[in-house]
């Protein structure tokens, strides 16, 4: 008798509840927080819906909308071409589909971030996690849990800015370089508005997660939710950005598969 296929076993696990689907995506609406740059720079678009018809004389049996959005609004995927260091690398439509499904390592620094919104992850933090959980997954995601998703309903609380700029957790410049150049992961996922810490405009280089990771042909996922529902290891992330030709990134539906006993 033939053995059941891997895909059949996956479907059985999903239908039977032994594999849970966790939605890591922030709902996308006009209230979704967006990054704010200094006024001399171009600004991203707040998400907008424009109704085309809703069961009326514009279309009696159907409801649909046009939408307008920045590529980097809400839960979204950063392609390498987003940053000058990756300007000759892939746009979002060129990212190989096989790289959109990958294992995840979830590093929880929510207690640190609760005490210090400017908390920075260092290489030693990651190495300490590896000592307890094993190495970061080859070709996987490093997901940074900070508890910041609890702020996602408020633009002010999410950006957490004052006269000195935003205050949100992230990686130090040296840690960003290490993740880009020495770690086996394909990208970094965060709960904050971008992959960089709020103070990263003043780092050397500025915005090191963008500079180092995208320049190394790696990726970013931002404004993730529900990382607290994932184990430190074992989850599989499915990232589905819109394949915008020449796009620097795109809003994405991001799911995780988690095996439950």
């Amino acid at each position: 008798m033939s053995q059941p296929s891997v895909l059949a076993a996956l479907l059985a696990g999903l239908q039977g509840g032994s594999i849970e689907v966790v939605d890591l995506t922030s709902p996308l609406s006009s209230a979704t927080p967006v990054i704010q740059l200094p006024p001399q720079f171009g600004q991203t678009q707040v998400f907008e819906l424009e109704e085309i018809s809703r069961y009326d004389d514009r279309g009696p049996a159907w409801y649909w909308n046009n939408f307008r959005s920045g590529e980097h609004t809400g839960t979204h995927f950063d392609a390498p071409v987003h940053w000058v260091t990756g300007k000759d690398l892939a746009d979002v439509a060129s990212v190989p589909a096989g790289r959109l499904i990958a294992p995840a390592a979830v590093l929880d620094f929510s207690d640190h971030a609760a005490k210090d919104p400017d908390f920075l992850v260092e290489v030693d933090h990651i190495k300490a996690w590896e000592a307890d959980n094993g190495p970061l997954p080859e070709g996987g995601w490093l997901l940074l849990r900070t508890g910041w998703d609890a702020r996602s309903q408020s633009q002010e609380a999410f950006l957490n800015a004052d006269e000195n700029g935003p205050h949100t957790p992230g990686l130090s410049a040296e840690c960003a370089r290490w993740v880009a150049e020495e770690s086996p992961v394909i990208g970094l996922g965060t709960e904050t508005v971008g992959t960089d810490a709020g103070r990263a405009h003043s780092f050397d280089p500025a915005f090191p997660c963008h500079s180092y990771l995208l320049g190394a042909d790696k990726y970013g996922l931002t404004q993730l939710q529900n990382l607290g529902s994932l184990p430190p290891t074992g989850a599989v992330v499915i990232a589905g950005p819109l394949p915008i030709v020449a796009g620097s990134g795109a809003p994405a539906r991001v799911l995780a598969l988690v095996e439950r006993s």
Side-chain angles (χ1 to χ4, degrees), residues 22 27 39 53 104 108 150 161 248 259:
V22 179
S53 68
D108 186 357
S248 71
E259 191 169 2

Side-chain angles (χ1 to χ4, degrees), residues 9-28:
L10 172 62
L11 288 174
L14 291 168
Q15 294 166 356
S18 62
I19 298 175
E20 179 185 0
V21 180
V22 179
D23 197 343
L24 306 183
T25 316
S26 178
L28 188 56

Side-chain angles (χ1 to χ4, degrees), residues 12-255:
L14 291 168
Q15 294 166 356
S18 62
I19 298 175
E20 179 185 0
V21 180
V22 179
D23 197 343
L24 306 183
T25 316
S26 178
L28 188 56
S29 74
S30 60
T32 297
V34 296
I35 195 169
Q36 292 181 332
L37 300 180
Q40 67 267 32
F41 298 119
Q43 305 295 324
T44 194
Q45 170 70 42
V46 173
F47 182 84
E48 294 179 352
L49 276 184
E50 176 193 25
E51 188 174 278
I52 302 172
S53 68
R54 194 180 182 105
Y55 326 121
D56 52 28
D57 56 3
R58 299 170 298 169
W62 52 90
Y63 165 57
W64 58 340
N65 302 286
N66 293 317
F67 70 86
R68 186 180 183 205
S69 177
E71 295 172 324
H72 301 268
T73 297
T75 301
H76 64 271
F77 185 99
D78 290 348
V81 75
H82 176 46
W83 212 250
V84 65
T85 51
K87 64 184 178 66
D88 297 320
L89 301 175
D91 65 14
V92 69
S94 302
V95 174
R99 301 193 88 187
L100 300 177
I101 303 175
V106 183
L107 282 62
D108 186 357
F109 296 104
S110 52
D111 289 344
H112 297 74
K115 296 174 184 175
D116 178 11
D118 288 319
F119 170 75
L120 298 178
V121 177
E122 303 288 354
V123 176
D124 285 347
H125 290 116
I126 298 179
K127 290 187 178 296
W129 182 93
E130 288 184 307
D132 292 334
N133 298 280
L136 295 176
E138 185 77 34
W141 288 96
L142 190 164
L143 302 183
L144 186 63
R145 184 186 176 215
T146 57
W148 217 256
D149 57 339
R151 297 170 174 251
S152 64
Q153 301 305 309
S154 165
Q155 172 86 7
E156 181 178 358
F158 198 65
L159 298 188
N160 196 36
D162 59 19
E163 65 276 6
N164 297 314
H167 299 274
T168 60
L171 304 186
S172 72
E174 172 56 25
C175 189
R177 186 205 62 77
W178 184 89
V179 171
E181 299 177 4
E182 300 186 42
S183 85
V185 300
I186 60 167
L188 171 69
T190 68
E191 298 169 330
T192 48
V193 74
T195 53
D196 273 295
R199 294 184 294 146
H201 59 86
S202 63
F203 293 178
D204 184 17
F207 305 104
C209 288
H210 285 78
S211 182
Y212 286 130
L213 271 77
L214 300 183
D217 200 24
K218 296 188 176 184
Y219 312 122
L221 285 174
T222 73
Q223 288 185 248
L224 297 173
Q225 302 228 324
N226 301 320
L227 293 185
S229 297
L230 305 187
T233 64
V236 174
V237 168
I238 303 170
L242 297 172
I244 302 170
V245 175
S248 71
R253 188 74 180 262
V254 184
L255 308 174

